[in-house]
Amino acid sequence: MEHTILSGDSRNSSSAPSVPIGRPLLAALILFFCVTFSALASAQTFDFGDVARQAQKLAKQDFKETSVKLPRELQSLTYDQFRDIRFKPEKALWRDAKLPFEAMFFHQGFFFDRPVRISEVRADGVHDIQFSPDQFDYGKNAPPKDSDGLGFSGFRIHYPINTGKYKDEVAVFLGASYFRAVGKDQLYGLSARGLAVDTALASGEEFPRFVRFWLVRPNPQARELTIYALLDSPRVTGAYRFVIVPGAETIADVKARIFLRKDVGKLGIAPLTSMYFFGADKRPPYEDFRPQVHDSDGLSIQSGSSEWIWRPLQNPPRLLVTSFTLDSLAGFGLMQRGRDFSTYQDLESRYEKRPSAWVEPKSAWGRGRVELVQIPTPDETNDNIVAYWIPDKAPVPLQPFDLDYRIRWQKDKETKPPLAWVAQTRRGHAYIRQPDNSINFIIDFEGPALQRLTADDAVEAAVTADDNGEIASADVHRNDVTKGYRISLRVKPKDAKKPVELRAALRDKQQTLSETWSYVLSP
């Protein structure tokens, strides 16, 4: 939608200053006030409310699928061929103006075959950013012979976070409602999404799409960038505002207003998507030189009552869906706690540099649950982990449902419990003289609360299992290497065809010292 901005009213016959002003100075003042008024008018004329009205109007209409008519040259691109089509940096949005942020765009092709409309919000209004094949270097691919109807499939944002000499890629919006970000000295890993609809239900998942974006032109001193987005799918529409603040940890402040066209089975709020192939708890079915392979190694949850829970991720033998019901939520995230190169030994993927993503509600979300979906994967090319919040009170169709939250993309100073946390989980068969079906877990805890303890302090393990599990032993050992503590836990499943749910934490005589380790032993 185009917005016309009226220029400032230069009629000043009744308010002319009593002190004479030269014509050049008067002209400069008029120009200054016109530009200032125009910028203010733009900010007031196009904002989140504009996008929300479009989303509300869209929700009252039947869903219309975007038609896809790709030229033959783009219909069967492989992943490597798609990556070989690169936007020319010299044509980046805002490069000529030497602004602190720049935007570059993605071509259609591969999985990203649907175009998205992208506009720039400037002081003089809203302007569509036009697609042209001249903006791209096609590498070894043949440029399309007919570019009519082609558009962008997404975009990426650049800003200097590692050095002042170069604008790093700090965020990308590409595919459905997916977006990713990185902070200083980080590499892309897990993704966030606008919404998750009916994830892991037998009826099949619905993937809402961002069908339009508006990029707000930053000022020359800007340290944050505002992006608006319109979301659409068969049963959901939505308006989004993203304020991206790059830095040591890059922050995405998200404001959303959701409208349901009709009821959905499961609405996942602030979904995070990641990959977990294998780790210290379980090796892959074939030999691999790497000790661990994953973008995230655990789900962290902080309840509104300040209880902390850690669920180590798994590559389960079959679909595994679990949840944590809470009266209120302070935050949750898919975290990558292993930060040593030796943990992964992968010079190409550098998993130790993959960010954690922590979600913080900026308003009360009420009662609900954090749901974790873990899907079997045969390799590391598939994102098989999803986590999101499901409110107990579902939105009413055609009524606005507002969300306000922050996502922190972290590495060096990650969100952790204040006392102590799980550093690693290791698993294997219990080594006893008469082997049985018991499983041995080694759970290492670290943190300031444990470093203050001495060898004389009494620390014990608070361990529980559900009805299908028997705790054979639970011993606590001081770890002089890490200055933490280790729980050695031996568990016997009563029925090997059923899962066992386990919980463990450290405590002394006065208090609980650590977050709660929560684990599902799959059948």
Side-chain angles (χ1 to χ4, degrees):
M1 179 172 60
E2 295 287 335
H3 293 265
T4 302
I5 307 299
L6 299 177
S7 61
D9 190 348
S10 60
R11 293 173 297 173
N12 53 20
S13 58
S14 62
S15 58
S18 57
V19 179
I21 299 178
R23 288 181 180 236
L25 178 58
L26 179 60
L29 288 172
I30 291 174
L31 178 62
F32 170 78
F33 285 115
C34 285
V35 171
T36 302
F37 174 80
S38 180
L40 290 173
S42 176
Q44 294 169 355
T45 302
F46 187 88
D47 57 14
F48 179 77
D50 280 274
V51 190
R53 283 187 286 275
Q54 291 193 38
Q56 186 174 29
K57 181 180 179 180
L58 204 59
K60 297 176 182 178
Q61 304 170 1
D62 292 336
F63 173 73
K64 295 180 180 179
E65 183 64 80
T66 304
S67 60
V68 179
K69 295 181 179 179
L70 287 179
R72 181 178 302 173
E73 300 90 338
L74 302 174
Q75 289 179 3
S76 57
L77 290 178
T78 65
Y79 173 72
D80 289 331
Q81 288 173 329
F82 178 73
R83 290 189 63 186
D84 206 25
I85 303 176
R86 300 179 181 274
F87 193 83
K88 297 177 180 178
E90 64 271 18
K91 296 184 178 294
L93 182 66
W94 306 320
R95 172 160 291 199
D96 290 344
K98 300 187 184 325
L99 297 181
F101 288 88
E102 292 179 359
M104 302 187 197
F105 305 93
F106 291 99
H107 207 286
Q108 285 177 258
F110 190 51
F111 292 148
F112 314 109
D113 54 358
R114 288 174 171 77
V116 294
R117 186 179 172 188
I118 305 176
S119 302
E120 180 190 8
V121 179
R122 301 200 307 246
D124 61 347
V126 177
H127 301 265
D128 280 355
I129 301 172
Q130 301 298 327
F131 169 88
S132 170
D134 294 338
Q135 298 165 319
F136 293 88
D137 180 346
Y138 286 85
K140 297 179 181 179
N141 299 289
K145 296 178 181 178
D146 182 7
S147 62
D148 289 345
L150 285 180
F152 303 117
S153 61
F155 63 93
R156 60 182 188 263
I157 299 299
H158 293 250
Y159 181 89
I161 54 174
N162 291 302
T163 173
K165 299 179 181 179
Y166 177 80
K167 290 184 175 67
D168 307 277
E169 186 174 331
V170 297
V172 59
F173 289 76
L174 178 65
S177 67
Y178 285 86
F179 59 99
R180 299 194 290 178
V182 289
K184 184 178 181 180
D185 193 33
Q186 299 176 17
L187 298 177
Y188 281 130
L190 79 167
S191 302
R193 281 195 271 166
L195 280 178
V197 177
D198 289 357
T199 304
L201 291 186
S203 57
E205 184 168 2
E206 180 176 308
F207 288 89
R209 294 181 57 243
F210 289 134
V211 296
R212 178 147 192 208
F213 290 98
W214 295 261
L215 312 182
V216 179
R217 184 183 181 93
N219 64 53
Q221 292 78 38
R223 295 187 177 181
E224 62 182 40
L225 183 70
T226 299
I227 301 167
Y228 297 105
L230 179 65
L231 179 137
D232 193 19
S233 78
R235 288 177 291 169
V236 184
T237 70
Y240 284 75
R241 183 189 68 199
F242 301 92
V243 179
I244 309 295
V245 187
E249 69 166 17
T250 288
I251 292 172
D253 282 323
V254 184
K255 178 180 178 64
R257 181 166 296 164
I258 307 301
F259 297 92
L260 300 187
R261 283 189 170 98
K262 57 185 71 173
D263 287 323
V264 301
K266 186 195 298 182
L267 188 67
I269 304 299
L272 301 173
T273 301
S274 192
M275 180 275 295
Y276 185 92
F277 182 27
F278 66 88
D281 68 316
K282 194 174 182 181
R283 297 293 300 167
Y286 54 82
E287 290 297 324
D288 194 305
F289 74 92
R290 299 166 297 181
Q292 300 187 35
V293 175
H294 48 72
D295 285 336
S296 307
D297 57 8
L299 168 66
S300 180
I301 301 171
Q302 182 188 12
S303 74
S305 60
S306 295
E307 179 189 8
W308 290 82
I309 301 170
W310 176 255
R311 170 62 61 84
L313 298 181
Q314 301 180 54
N315 184 359
R318 58 182 65 88
L319 176 67
L320 180 61
V321 181
T322 56
S323 61
F324 301 84
T325 299
L326 305 171
D327 290 329
S328 60
L329 176 72
F332 75 94
L334 290 176
M335 317 299 283
Q336 183 80 315
R337 286 186 176 173
R339 290 301 176 191
D340 294 331
F341 171 76
S342 60
T343 301
Y344 309 98
Q345 295 288 343
D346 194 324
L347 287 171
E348 180 181 1
S349 298
R350 300 302 300 272
Y351 289 109
E352 77 278 6
K353 291 179 175 287
R354 306 296 175 103
S356 299
W358 180 256
V359 176
E360 296 174 342
K362 298 175 73 174
S363 58
W365 284 4
R367 183 175 172 81
R369 69 185 190 272
V370 176
E371 184 165 277
L372 174 65
V373 177
Q374 302 179 94
I375 305 167
T377 181
D379 54 45
E380 64 207 86
T381 62
N382 301 305
D383 282 345
N384 62 321
I385 305 295
V386 190
Y388 42 77
W389 172 258
I390 300 176
D392 266 7
K393 189 175 181 180
V396 177
L398 300 182
Q399 296 300 309
F401 182 73
D402 289 339
L403 298 167
D404 205 357
Y405 58 96
R406 169 172 287 180
I407 307 177
R408 299 179 181 271
W409 305 85
Q410 308 173 321
K411 184 174 77 70
D412 296 327
K413 295 182 179 179
E414 294 169 302
T415 301
K416 291 178 180 177
L419 297 179
W421 52 86
V422 176
Q424 71 167 343
T425 301
R426 306 187 74 86
R427 168 183 163 184
H429 288 291
Y431 293 101
I432 56 177
R433 292 186 176 181
Q434 294 180 343
D436 55 16
N437 67 336
S438 63
I439 303 295
N440 192 39
F441 288 94
I442 299 297
I443 313 157
D444 278 318
F445 293 84
E446 298 176 6
L450 305 182
Q451 293 177 356
R452 294 192 292 264
L453 299 175
T454 68
D456 296 329
D457 289 314
V459 179
E460 60 182 23
V463 178
T464 60
D466 65 12
D467 293 341
N468 192 44
E470 175 189 344
I471 304 298
S473 63
D475 302 312
V476 177
H477 307 278
R478 181 176 173 83
N479 190 331
D480 292 327
V481 177
T482 64
K483 308 303 179 185
Y485 279 77
R486 170 176 289 187
I487 294 178
S488 179
L489 173 64
R490 191 161 65 92
V491 181
K492 292 182 178 181
K494 296 177 181 178
D495 185 344
K497 296 181 180 180
K498 296 180 180 179
V500 180
E501 186 153 356
L502 304 165
R503 292 169 67 91
L506 294 173
R507 68 183 182 191
D508 61 13
K509 294 180 180 180
Q510 284 77 37
Q511 63 178 336
T512 299
L513 298 172
S514 70
E515 67 184 353
T516 298
W517 173 84
S518 174
Y519 193 93
V520 173
L521 180 59
S522 298

